[in-house]
Structure formats: C-alpha cells, structure tokens
Amino acid sequence: MCWVCARVFIFLCLVPRLADISRSIPCVLEELQSRKLLQDSTDTSLLAQRLASGPVSIYHGIDPTAPSLHLGNLIGVLVLRRFQLEGHRPIALVGGATGMVGDPSGRSEERNLLDADTLAANLSGIRAQLEKLLDFDNNAVLVNNYDWTRNLTLIEFLRDTGKHATVNQMVAKQSVRSRMQSDAGISYTEFTYMLMQAYDFWWLHTNHNCELQVGGSDQWGNIAAGVDLIRRRTATQVHGLTWPLLTRSDGTKFGKTAEGSVWLDPERTSSYRFHQYFMQVTDEDVGKMLLQFTMLSVSEIAELVEAHQREPQHREAQRRLAFEVTSLVHGSTQASAAESAAKILFGSPVEKVDEAALQAVAQEVPTSLLVRTPQGGFDAATGSFSLVDLLVATGLATSKGDARRGLAEGSVYVNNQRASSSAATVFSDQLLYGRYLLLRRGKRRHHLLRSH
C-alpha cells in the first residue's frame, strides 16, 4: 500500500464499506462514504449500479425559512456539487410551497407560517447563494415547488397522492410520533408535509427524470415516502440517501453559536466571523469538517490532519479549513481579507495588509470618522493629531488624564505599534491607505478611525 493510501486508510478509521456494493462502486458514492456523508440509503447495490450506468438527476430541497442559507444547508448544496463534478445533474429545490407549511422534523413546536412576500424575499436571497455554489450554466437546475403546487386542487392531491400513503406509515416517523406525544401536538398542516415532499419527488421524476433525492438523516422518512409514492404510481425504482446530522464531538449542533445560526449571508454573519467560526473548530472535529465542508481531496486532508497532529499548536488544519470554506461561500478575496483581519486584531503588523482586510476589521470593531478639525485633535500646521484627544473621542479613554495614564503604562497602540507618552502625536502619513488609523487599548479594545 502506498504511503498516501496508508494515511487515508488510517485517517478514515476503517470506515465500513456500504453493504452489497461491488468493487466497481461509483466514484461519487465512494467519495461520500470516505467523507462520512452516508447514513441511510434505499437499495444500495441498485443505486450503485444506476450511478455507474450513466448520469442521474438528483435533487435536494431547502425550505426558504430565512433570506439566507446557513451552515446546515451548506452540506446538502456541497453534496449536489460533488455529484455535479462527477457528471450528474443537480436539481436544487427551493420550497416556496413547503415553506408555507413547515417541516416538523427536528422541531418541538410548529413553525410560524410565512406569507407570500416574506417567502419571495427569502427565495431571492437563497437563489443568489446557490448560484455561487452550483454551476447553473452547466446542467444544474433551480426549481421552486410553488410553481407546480399553486394550481393543484385538494381533490387531485388526495386522489393521486394521499391514497397511496397510509396513516400508519406517517405516524411511524419519529418526528411525527414525538410531536403527537408532546404537549404541543402536531397540526394537520404539518402532518401533511411528508406527502407534499413525496409529491415533489414524484413531480421531479415525471418532469425532470429525477431518480435520486438526498438530504439529512432527519429527512429519511420524507424521502422514503417519495420513493414509495413513485413506485406505487409509476412502478419505477428511484433512490434516496441521507448523511448524518452534523454535531460537534461534544454533541452540540454544528453551525450554531451563542448568537444563533452561522449564515452564508455576510450581512447576517460577516466573512470575518464566518472564517473565525471554522478557526475555532476543535482538534477533534477539524478532520471531519475538512472532509465534509471542503472540496479538498481525501488524501490531501489526511496529510493535513497528520501534520496537524504532530504540531497542533500551529492550528494549520483549522487555518486551511477556515480559508477553504470561506472561499467557497464568499470568494478567495474575502477569505484572504478575513484571514488578514484576524491577524490584525490579534496584534500582527498592519503596514502590508490590503485595504479589504481593513474593511473587514471595520465590520468587527467600533469605527468612527477621523475629523481634521481642532475639535478632533487635528493640528493643521503640522498635519498631525493629538493621540490623547483621539483616545478620548473614541472612548478608549474616559478622560485626557486616563489617556495619558494609558500611554505611560504602555497599553496604547497605534496601528498595532505601542505608543509612548513622549510621542503622543499621530501624523497624517501614519494613516493606512491615507485614511485608516487603528487604535488599541490593552489586548482587545479596538477602534478604527476612517477619513473620507
């Protein structure tokens, strides 16, 4: 066994192979298996044979409950991307109709029903994010299930879909059963969600020749219902597979912080905070996150993790993870800016950073206008600013006396260089890019000044 193969073998911890798959397992299934992205599947040998025989249309659905995707959604979109790279046809379904109903999976109470205007705004934001992650110029398809359900009559739905499902099957689903046993109960609206998703699969199979639905493991009951509906209505075999729900090694849900979800929209979660979320992944979780959230090869990830285990204090695996995922979502320029902004905020020299990094810093620390007036501490004759006045104006000092004490103690920094009481003047040529000045008091209190 070659040294790279040996490392991959050790790194994957002897992941069991899918049952009943021959040695000719399609590359995409082997890829998902090696990345620990396979949990449940319909007849696995039949699915493997179908994938090996030619391109397949595959769909993953996302309900537009917010105007942005979050990290939990990103896994599914990247699974579609992995299939597309292997020559298959991804269908991204945005659930304009199912979003009006609400999926009870993983919920202890009913979701708030969204109105049409809110859903339209959410769809617009999500569509823009999907277009960055999937190649819609190269056979990927974006659909909205509202388009084929808005004119569907109740009689048609009951006759063509409802009659093929038994209540016994529906209540056997764990998320439904747990809600039925809870004090909140489950409404008939949410109870029918499974049939709506099954109908989506049937419609996509009929109109787009879709043969495979993928989703998180909490969607297995809904996916299986669609597979069964298509079999009953068309006598055709289609397939479904799921990946495990993502949790950290301590059991907490991945993609959540004390402030809430980690969003793909930079207006909700800045590229800096997005980058920092992955920088803070634990050593126990970083290997799995590299496998599931990046497009790096499994062998390269194995090498990264092995190097990280030798020198974990350098956190190189976390750095690569944060850069790769931020690049996927926000682009490499923003990923580099977030990386540089982190170095700035942790005290690295700022002379050679690009302006994008300073703009990223401006989103994370208090920022105000640098005013060239006497009231702002500016001396027109020398083209300089009083650092004492700036410290007071920015709130880094409570008074001029407090500012002078900070300078005497050596706790004041200008552009990450310690200032002294004997040099309490800032000259215009110290402004980065002619307009930025970063002040710091102690280790963590920052303020960025910007001129016009």
Side-chain angles (χ1 to χ4, degrees):
M1 181 181 291
C2 70
W3 66 276
V4 171
C5 294
R7 288 178 175 179
V8 174
F9 182 73
I10 294 171
F11 174 62
L12 294 176
C13 304
L14 301 176
V15 177
R17 296 187 66 79
L18 291 172
D20 303 322
I21 298 184
S22 68
R23 296 189 181 208
S24 61
I25 178 173
C27 290
V28 67
L29 283 186
E30 189 171 32
E31 175 86 354
L32 294 178
Q33 178 186 320
S34 64
R35 291 179 183 274
K36 303 179 183 178
L37 285 171
L38 279 176
Q39 177 156 319
D40 302 302
S41 173
T42 48
D43 192 311
T44 308
S45 63
L46 284 179
L47 174 58
Q49 291 171 26
R50 176 61 191 91
L51 290 170
S53 69
V56 169
S57 291
I58 164 181
Y59 107 85
H60 173 58
I62 299 167
D63 280 345
T65 53
S68 172
L69 301 175
H70 53 72
L71 280 185
N73 301 133
L74 183 58
I75 281 289
V77 180
L78 291 181
V79 168
L80 289 183
R81 182 174 176 139
R82 297 183 202 283
F83 271 92
Q84 186 172 30
L85 290 174
E86 292 292 335
H88 301 286
R89 181 181 183 234
I91 301 173
L93 182 150
V94 182
T98 42
M100 291 183 174
V101 173
D103 183 3
S105 299
R107 301 283 295 187
S108 59
E109 58 186 22
E110 187 162 358
R111 298 177 189 270
N112 293 325
L113 303 186
L114 302 179
D115 59 64
D117 289 341
T118 301
L119 276 167
N122 291 355
L123 285 166
S124 178
I126 291 172
R127 182 180 294 110
Q129 293 169 348
L130 288 171
E131 288 171 349
K132 293 180 180 179
L133 296 164
L134 298 172
D135 187 357
F136 289 99
D137 294 326
N138 182 27
N139 85 2
V141 178
L142 180 62
V143 296
N144 177 358
N145 60 13
Y146 184 70
D147 293 338
W148 59 80
T149 56
R150 61 186 170 188
N151 295 322
L152 180 66
T153 68
L154 176 62
I155 295 298
E156 287 178 295
F157 185 71
L158 293 175
R159 182 190 63 201
D160 298 331
T161 301
K163 74 173 184 179
H164 294 295
T166 67
V167 173
N168 307 62
Q169 290 174 312
M170 297 174 73
V171 299
K173 183 182 176 185
Q174 175 59 34
S175 59
V176 173
R177 190 167 62 251
S178 63
R179 285 285 297 279
M180 290 178 67
Q181 295 169 352
S182 70
D183 293 336
I186 183 171
S187 71
Y188 179 74
T189 301
E190 280 192 310
F191 185 65
T192 61
Y193 184 97
M194 181 190 300
L195 295 183
M196 291 186 70
Q197 186 167 325
Y199 182 83
D200 286 342
F201 197 179
W202 172 83
W203 194 93
L204 289 171
H205 175 70
T206 302
N207 293 274
H208 288 273
N209 195 32
C210 181
E211 298 178 65
L212 173 62
Q213 182 183 174
V214 298
S217 58
D218 62 336
Q219 292 297 306
W220 178 243
N222 295 340
I223 292 173
V227 171
D228 189 56
L229 176 64
I230 293 168
R231 180 183 61 80
R232 290 175 181 273
R233 290 191 66 171
T234 69
T236 303
Q237 174 69 56
V238 293
H239 308 278
L241 65 82
T242 67
W243 50 84
L245 290 182
L246 297 177
T247 57
R248 291 177 176 271
S249 54
D250 62 4
T252 58
K253 192 171 183 179
F254 188 80
K256 294 285 187 178
T257 67
E259 294 76 32
S261 296
V262 180
W263 301 96
L264 274 57
D265 182 351
E267 295 298 320
R268 287 177 162 241
T269 301
S270 70
S271 56
Y272 172 83
R273 293 186 185 182
F274 188 89
H275 181 275
Q276 283 297 297
Y277 180 84
F278 286 96
M279 279 296 299
Q280 293 163 13
V281 166
T282 65
D283 292 342
E284 292 78 16
D285 290 326
V286 70
K288 180 173 71 173
M289 295 304 104
L290 280 162
L291 286 169
Q292 298 180 345
F293 280 96
T294 78
M295 304 305 291
L296 299 175
S297 69
V298 174
S299 60
E300 185 175 358
I301 292 170
E303 293 181 48
L304 267 171
V305 172
E306 183 181 301
H308 175 76
Q309 290 171 343
R310 289 196 301 267
E311 297 179 302
Q313 69 277 13
H314 296 317
R315 299 184 68 77
E316 286 304 322
Q318 281 88 348
R319 292 180 196 281
R320 188 65 183 277
L321 171 66
F323 182 84
E324 291 293 330
V325 185
T326 308
S327 293
L328 276 172
V329 174
H330 298 296
S332 58
T333 299
Q334 288 303 310
S336 296
E339 192 171 62
S340 297
K343 292 177 181 177
I344 292 170
L345 294 178
F346 283 97
S348 294
V350 299
E351 288 79 6
K352 295 182 180 180
V353 299
D354 58 30
E355 191 168 4
L358 294 169
Q359 291 169 349
V361 169
Q363 295 181 311
E364 304 306 321
V365 303
T367 303
S368 59
L369 191 63
L370 183 63
V371 183
R372 286 183 168 86
T373 65
Q375 293 77 15
F378 182 66
D379 183 343
T382 61
S384 63
F385 296 85
S386 164
L387 183 53
V388 168
D389 288 341
L390 291 178
L391 290 170
V392 174
T394 58
L396 292 177
T398 56
S399 65
K400 290 187 177 183
D402 182 38
R404 294 188 183 99
R405 282 192 296 274
L407 287 165
E409 295 165 355
S411 63
V412 174
Y413 296 78
V414 176
N415 292 338
N416 282 348
Q417 292 185 343
R418 180 177 278 127
S420 67
S421 54
S422 61
T425 301
V426 177
F427 291 94
S428 295
D429 61 5
Q430 290 178 261
L431 301 184
L432 302 168
Y433 291 94
R435 61 187 298 251
Y436 297 95
L437 186 71
L438 181 65
L439 302 180
R440 173 161 58 94
R441 180 89 181 265
K443 290 184 177 181
R444 292 289 179 266
R445 294 178 62 198
H446 296 83
H447 195 104
L448 185 67
L449 289 158
R450 292 190 293 187
S451 64
H452 289 294

